[in-house]
Amino acid sequence: MSGAENGGLNYGENRLYNNPFDTDTESELVEGSEYGSSDDPDEFQPDDIQENLHNGVEGNNAGVAENNAGVAENNAGVAENNAGVAENMDYDDGVPHEMEFEPVIPGAQMTRDQAILILAAYSLRHHMTSVAMQDLLSFLKLLQPGALPSTKFLFDKELDKIENSRYIFCCLKCGARVPDGSTHCVVDECRHEFNKKKSLCKGNFCIYIPIVQQLKDFFENHEYTTFPKNHKKETDYLSHVCNSDYYLKQLREGKISQDDFTLIFNVDGVPLFSASKASMTPIQCALLEVKNTRSHVFMCGMWFGAEKPNIDVLLEPFVDECCTLSETGVQWTNSLGVQVVTKVHPFVCTSDAVARPVLRNCQQFNGYFGCDWCLQRGRYVPKGGGNVMCYPYQTDVVRRVKEGYEQDALRAVREGNLVNGVKGPSLLSLLPTFDIVESFVPDYMHSVLLGVIRFLVNLWLDSKSGGKAYHIDHDDLAKVNRRLLKIKAPSGIARAPRSLEERKHWKATEWRNFLLYYSIPVLTGVLPRPHIQHLFLLSNSINLLLQDKIPRDSLVNIDLALCKFVIGMEDLYGEENCTFNVHQLTHLVGSVRNYGPISNVSAFMFESNNGRLKKMVSGTHHIPSQIAGKFILWRNLPVMAKKCQIQQARITVLNLYEHLLTTKRKVRISVHINDGSVALGRPKTRDLDAGELLALDTLFGVIDVRIHKVDFYKKVLFDGIVYQSSSYCAGYKRDNSVVLTNNGTYGRITEMVVVEVCICGNELCECDPQPECIVFLKELTVRSSRLFTDRQVGITKSRFPATVTETNRTIAFRLSDVHRKCVLMRIVPSLYAAPIIKTEEGD
């Protein structure tokens, strides 16, 4: 089912029409028969798992000899008949039946449209240049003339294109926009000659891709689910944008309706080459109501050039189209053939502290009124050999409001001077439902991860800090690195810990992992206690603001903790280190009230997509055209797949297409359990020991439960997450055995069993119990620690991280009762367990 009716996929359903090349996930593609997997540990690694792309059963064409080449094309080594078979096999509930189709050449297993789809996916997967694609087509022409397009030009004509992009040029001398058809700059003082070919080579232009067609394609052809909307009712928890304060306010005021969608957008510069100033500045956006929205990022504009973009030229077509979408909406056809009109409203913008003032037409953070949300006046203080702008904590600071900004903008234009840091009006002020103040958010990826925590680490390790209480010398650095490198992170954490000496190359996700999980344990005993407690305020607060459900009544204490951290920066590190990134912490909780957890509006998904866009560059000429063309093709693959009925293709064709859409390999499975878990690998059998039997009795609340069958597994998949026994993890760099249950119990998984248990108590039992997955844990008891409490801000007990002690007590839980996997860190003499945050931010 597609569209807003409920397009989401559960585990095991087909996701061919979702974002191709989306691999940042911990779930896996499962295939094969019930007991078909190998015990070979190389057959499955936690880092190699991916989402289930296809829930059909592998075609069992064994025994059919291939007529011509004798080459086995089935992954299981099963030969298929390729001799003049013109009918395709459609699998419905695992039962094949004949379906008419016209092969691209006699004896082929795919149609012409399917072959073109495969070629398009192949070109994107391997980042092919135009020359490489032309050479491939020429080679295929020699094999079978006329079967496929013979040139790149003809191949492009075969592809289903979204609405054409358009170019908007600027004068290379003064930067003013050059109207279509003009031969000279229209500015009287300039009148520089305009040459389109020269501008395409040098840059200073933008390319715009209409978003309306991308939205229509998304609603009609992509599978998705939306967050529940609460019909203007405030809930006790903040979990997503649909129950946030700003969203509910717009609903109550009638500015948006229940069936509307809202956009989050991002504008940020991306350098393309290390040896060139050339960069691109894309406008990217996504739908806030859609779950896993990072898989559906739209690009609707892109500036290219060596100079900073003319922001009005870049934003103008975007603002115009957003106003239209908000007023008249986008028309599309749902799966029932009914015409639907959906309004889409621009809602929130996430950008870093450099791009944000450009978008708002305001002064940057190094100015006196550089804050985007309040009127605190910064001040210059000496640092090193110069001065820096600082924002020490102040109480009773006046907050900015939309009306005040608009008045300041008009006054700035009238007087020709800055007014409260505002230079003039911004085009974004014209967007309906968009608040020029509140709709900008302090993106925690840039402000906290690449800002505050990175700044602190560099401050601790800076040789200029020698003699300061917080300085980490060479010996202490070696100790911290040893602790870091001993940590075995679970596979839910994309990157394993690296040495602090490599911090210059750390990604934002590595700084996130360091702040949330590693920093407190590895720095304990290295930094002074006051500095550790100060850091704990930040780590605990960000952990809480990243939870999938944030109690509204907890936000006051979180805000107090962040304000205390800001105050502590001046007390512990000096006023000169109270940077603007530190000041932004005072506005984080306000952003959460407006839009939900900070992961909802972080720039992670856009930064990740920037990486994909950069990979679409395969040459140094006509770079924007390369990116735009490949992006359009990438977004349009699901449309082509649906049109050529790729789901009804032969299993080998479908497998090839799926392989081209992902960078991760397939993993065989053993058993699908009724409770939704998937047991991986061949089972082993043995009798349950006394401790395990007692744990089962406690779990089921019955003495002497009757066990019909028990199978032991080392690896189990549940809800897209891999769990492994501690004995299996011992030999690997990842540890997926430490968990936190729903009732707050920590433990290490010793065994995972699939059992059939009867609790009827009848000695003549004739029950037919269903199998379920049970995990046996060695409990880790939590010890209280004064280090991780702060009653002043309401922190009486923290699990970020928890100090735990190993025990020999065996307890049993259903796998569905496991709440989180944890990072286990042994820092002698203590043992720490930190539950990992489950977000959709990606890597």
Side-chain angles (χ1 to χ4, degrees):
M1 181 183 296
S2 66
E5 303 149 281
N6 183 14
L9 296 177
N10 295 321
Y11 174 81
E13 293 187 357
N14 190 288
R15 65 181 286 277
L16 292 181
Y17 302 142
N18 285 349
N19 184 348
F21 317 113
D22 176 28
T23 60
D24 295 330
T25 178
E26 198 185 347
S27 58
E28 63 174 7
L29 172 64
V30 291
E31 62 174 353
S33 58
E34 188 178 55
Y35 282 90
S37 75
S38 167
D39 257 349
D40 181 3
D42 290 333
E43 191 70 47
F44 169 80
Q45 291 294 334
D47 294 326
D48 293 328
I49 43 188
Q50 66 177 20
E51 286 187 350
N52 182 352
L53 301 177
H54 178 56
N55 66 345
V57 178
E58 182 83 29
N60 55 353
N61 295 317
V64 182
E66 187 166 355
N67 190 30
N68 295 325
V71 180
E73 300 203 17
N74 191 296
N75 290 335
V78 181
E80 289 198 332
N81 185 2
N82 194 32
V85 180
E87 63 271 6
N88 194 12
M89 306 299 288
D90 180 27
Y91 288 77
D92 184 8
D93 296 327
V95 181
H97 59 270
E98 294 186 357
M99 170 185 170
E100 291 186 3
F101 89 120
E102 183 179 349
V104 60
I105 58 174
Q109 299 182 34
M110 65 181 76
T111 66
R112 188 174 186 276
D113 286 344
Q114 290 167 357
I116 290 174
L117 172 68
I118 296 291
L119 279 174
Y122 179 85
S123 68
L124 291 174
R125 168 70 183 269
H126 298 289
H127 313 296
M128 294 182 67
T129 64
S130 295
V131 174
M133 191 65 191
Q134 178 59 66
D135 291 344
L136 176 61
L137 292 171
S138 298
F139 172 69
L140 294 175
K141 179 183 177 182
L142 294 176
L143 292 179
Q144 187 68 41
L148 293 169
S150 58
T151 66
K152 178 71 165 56
F153 173 77
L154 294 176
F155 179 77
D156 288 341
K157 289 185 68 175
E158 296 276 355
L159 303 177
D160 292 327
K161 292 287 188 179
I162 307 178
E163 186 174 331
N164 291 331
S165 55
R166 62 188 178 98
Y167 288 85
I168 304 171
F169 292 95
C170 290
C171 175
L172 292 175
K173 184 177 179 181
C174 71
R177 178 175 178 177
V178 179
D180 295 341
S182 178
T183 58
H184 289 80
C185 176
V186 295
V187 178
D188 293 335
E189 293 80 7
C190 179
R191 299 300 296 172
H192 184 71
E193 184 179 0
F194 169 71
N195 184 291
K196 182 177 180 179
K197 188 173 182 180
K198 188 176 180 181
S199 292
L200 284 172
C201 292
K202 289 194 173 184
N204 268 32
F205 66 89
C206 73
I207 184 169
Y208 189 77
I209 307 171
I211 190 176
V212 62
Q213 189 62 34
Q214 297 181 63
L215 289 169
K216 181 176 184 293
D217 156 56
F218 171 78
F219 290 135
E220 291 182 345
N221 299 294
H222 289 254
E223 302 288 354
Y224 64 92
T225 53
T226 59
F227 291 109
K229 299 184 180 181
N230 295 303
H231 302 281
K232 309 178 186 179
K233 182 180 178 182
E234 189 175 284
T235 59
D236 294 334
Y237 291 87
L238 286 164
S239 55
H240 46 76
V241 70
C242 297
N243 60 12
S244 63
D245 289 356
Y246 188 74
Y247 192 92
L248 295 175
K249 177 185 175 184
Q250 301 298 309
L251 276 175
R252 286 192 294 266
E253 293 177 357
K255 294 180 180 178
I256 62 175
S257 70
Q258 293 289 331
D259 297 326
D260 293 352
F261 282 79
T262 56
L263 281 177
I264 177 174
F265 64 93
N266 168 268
V267 183
D268 198 4
V270 183
L272 291 172
F273 309 106
S274 58
S276 170
K277 291 183 179 180
S279 65
M280 65 175 180
T281 304
I283 301 177
Q284 302 179 84
C285 50
L287 297 171
L288 283 167
E289 290 83 356
V290 175
K291 295 182 180 179
N292 194 27
T293 189
R294 67 184 178 87
S295 298
H296 306 290
V297 176
F298 311 104
M299 182 182 72
C300 46
M302 180 179 62
W303 173 272
F304 175 76
E307 306 294 333
K308 292 183 178 179
N310 183 325
I311 199 66
D312 287 342
V313 171
L314 179 62
L315 290 178
E316 184 180 355
F318 173 72
V319 170
D320 289 344
E321 191 171 22
C322 282
C323 290
T324 302
L325 285 170
S326 187
E327 183 177 347
T328 61
V330 55
Q331 188 174 31
W332 57 283
T333 305
N334 67 16
S335 58
L336 301 176
V338 178
Q339 292 286 320
V340 179
V341 175
T342 300
K343 291 184 178 181
V344 181
H345 307 278
F347 217 60
V348 60
C349 177
T350 178
S351 288
D352 61 21
V354 176
R356 193 165 50 240
V358 177
L359 296 170
R360 295 180 64 245
N361 198 15
C362 293
Q363 194 173 31
Q364 283 205 102
F365 56 87
N366 55 357
Y368 284 108
F369 291 95
C371 181
D372 304 279
W373 302 280
C374 72
L375 292 174
Q376 177 175 343
R377 180 183 173 88
R379 61 173 177 262
Y380 282 105
V381 297
K383 183 177 182 180
N387 296 310
V388 292
M389 177 63 69
C390 296
Y391 291 83
Y393 183 78
Q394 293 182 10
T395 58
D396 301 326
V397 175
V398 178
R399 288 192 60 85
R400 292 184 187 269
V401 293
K402 180 180 180 181
E403 293 75 16
Y405 167 87
E406 292 170 348
Q407 292 172 9
D408 290 343
L410 293 175
R411 184 180 160 195
V413 172
R414 189 167 56 247
E415 298 178 3
N417 293 312
L418 289 171
V419 177
N420 291 327
V422 179
K423 297 178 181 179
S426 166
L427 282 178
L428 296 179
S429 298
L430 302 175
L431 292 173
T433 71
F434 187 87
D435 188 308
I436 195 63
V437 176
E438 296 295 339
S439 289
F440 283 94
V441 293
D443 170 43
Y444 96 101
M445 189 195 87
H446 289 101
S447 64
V448 179
L449 306 180
L450 298 176
V452 176
I453 187 60
R454 183 167 67 174
F455 174 78
L456 279 176
V457 171
N458 288 330
L459 194 61
W460 299 330
L461 300 177
D462 192 346
S463 59
K464 296 178 182 178
S465 300
K468 301 285 181 66
Y470 54 78
H471 178 61
I472 298 178
D473 61 23
H474 184 270
D475 292 339
D476 284 338
L477 175 59
K479 181 191 293 186
V480 171
N481 287 334
R482 285 195 300 271
R483 291 175 173 180
L484 270 175
L485 296 177
K486 284 182 180 179
I487 296 172
K488 296 173 68 173
S491 55
I493 295 176
R495 298 175 185 270
R498 288 199 285 176
S499 164
L500 280 177
E501 292 175 337
E502 298 182 58
R503 66 189 183 280
K504 186 181 293 185
H505 307 292
W506 281 15
K507 302 293 185 182
T509 47
E510 292 175 278
W511 288 110
R512 178 181 63 194
N513 298 337
F514 181 78
L515 172 64
L516 300 183
Y517 314 127
Y518 316 141
S519 59
I520 302 297
V522 302
L523 292 171
T524 298
V526 176
L527 283 179
R529 186 182 183 89
H531 294 76
I532 288 289
Q533 291 175 320
H534 176 251
L535 177 63
F536 169 70
L537 291 173
L538 179 64
S539 177
N540 188 73
S541 298
I542 299 303
N543 257 294
L544 292 172
L545 294 181
L546 282 169
Q547 297 299 307
D548 48 11
K549 291 179 69 176
I550 305 174
R552 287 180 182 271
D553 56 12
S554 71
L555 292 178
V556 173
N557 283 335
I558 297 173
D559 196 28
L560 285 174
L562 288 173
C563 289
K564 186 175 180 180
F565 177 86
V566 176
I567 295 170
M569 280 297 297
E570 184 174 2
D571 295 339
L572 296 174
Y573 298 98
E575 183 184 14
E576 69 275 12
N577 291 312
C578 295
T579 63
F580 178 65
N581 281 326
V582 174
H583 171 75
Q584 288 186 82
L585 296 175
T586 63
H587 299 293
L588 266 185
V589 170
S591 167
V592 171
R593 287 195 177 99
N594 281 336
Y595 304 107
I598 53 178
S599 57
N600 287 359
V601 291
S602 81
F604 266 104
M605 61 178 166
F606 300 116
E607 293 290 336
S608 178
N609 204 52
N610 282 337
R612 295 190 186 101
L613 295 177
K614 287 180 69 174
K615 289 179 180 178
M616 293 177 182
V617 178
S618 54
T620 57
H621 297 290
H622 304 293
I623 291 172
S625 299
Q626 292 180 48
I627 295 174
K630 290 180 181 178
F631 176 81
I632 290 172
L633 178 57
W634 170 58
R635 289 290 314 170
N636 212 34
L637 276 184
V639 182
M640 297 170 61
K642 189 173 183 179
K643 182 178 178 181
C644 71
Q645 296 182 309
I646 194 67
Q647 280 190 289
Q648 281 73 47
R650 280 186 178 274
I651 197 68
T652 49
V653 177
L654 186 58
N655 283 344
L656 175 58
Y657 178 64
E658 292 172 348
H659 166 72
L660 292 171
L661 295 189
T662 180
T663 59
K664 299 189 178 182
R665 71 187 187 191
K666 295 179 181 179
V667 179
R668 296 177 181 177
I669 62 97
S670 289
V671 179
H672 287 271
I673 313 302
N674 292 337
D675 61 5
S677 57
V678 181
L680 304 164
R682 295 186 184 279
K684 293 184 179 180
T685 58
R686 67 167 173 84
D687 292 334
L688 295 170
D689 62 32
E692 291 166 343
L693 287 170
L694 180 61
L696 277 183
D697 290 347
T698 304
L699 175 65
F700 289 100
V702 176
I703 299 177
D704 296 329
V705 296
R706 190 185 304 275
I707 300 173
H708 288 223
K709 182 181 179 183
V710 56
D711 289 324
F712 288 77
Y713 290 89
K714 297 179 179 179
K715 301 167 288 185
V716 175
L717 180 73
F718 182 78
D719 195 24
I721 299 174
V722 172
Y723 300 93
Q724 297 169 329
S725 66
S726 55
S727 60
Y728 180 87
C729 297
Y732 295 98
K733 293 182 179 180
R734 300 284 186 166
D735 187 350
N736 293 293
S737 66
V738 184
V739 297
L740 170 68
T741 65
N742 288 330
N743 69 358
T745 301
Y746 289 87
R748 295 198 71 164
I749 299 174
T750 55
E751 298 288 355
M752 291 178 288
V753 297
V754 176
V755 294
E756 296 178 5
V757 176
C758 176
I759 58 174
C760 69
N762 187 351
E763 292 186 3
L764 302 176
C765 171
E766 297 182 358
C767 298
D768 183 22
Q770 296 300 310
E772 58 180 321
C773 189
I774 304 296
V775 293
F776 292 109
L777 308 176
K778 288 294 185 184
E779 186 179 8
L780 300 170
T781 58
V782 178
R783 293 192 296 112
S784 61
S785 173
R786 292 183 180 180
L787 181 64
F788 305 136
T789 59
D790 192 325
R791 297 184 183 277
Q792 202 174 39
V793 294
I795 305 174
T796 56
K797 183 180 179 181
S798 172
R799 54 190 174 97
F800 307 122
T803 307
V804 297
T805 303
E806 293 178 298
T807 71
N808 288 320
R809 182 190 173 206
T810 299
I811 50 179
F813 283 92
R814 292 178 176 86
L815 199 54
S816 57
D817 290 329
V818 173
H819 179 61
R820 290 277 191 271
K821 286 198 298 189
C822 300
V823 185
L824 191 68
M825 295 162 282
R826 189 179 300 277
I827 311 296
V828 178
S830 300
L831 189 64
Y832 302 92
I836 65 172
I837 305 295
K838 186 176 181 181
T839 71
E840 296 181 353
E841 292 177 329
D843 185 13

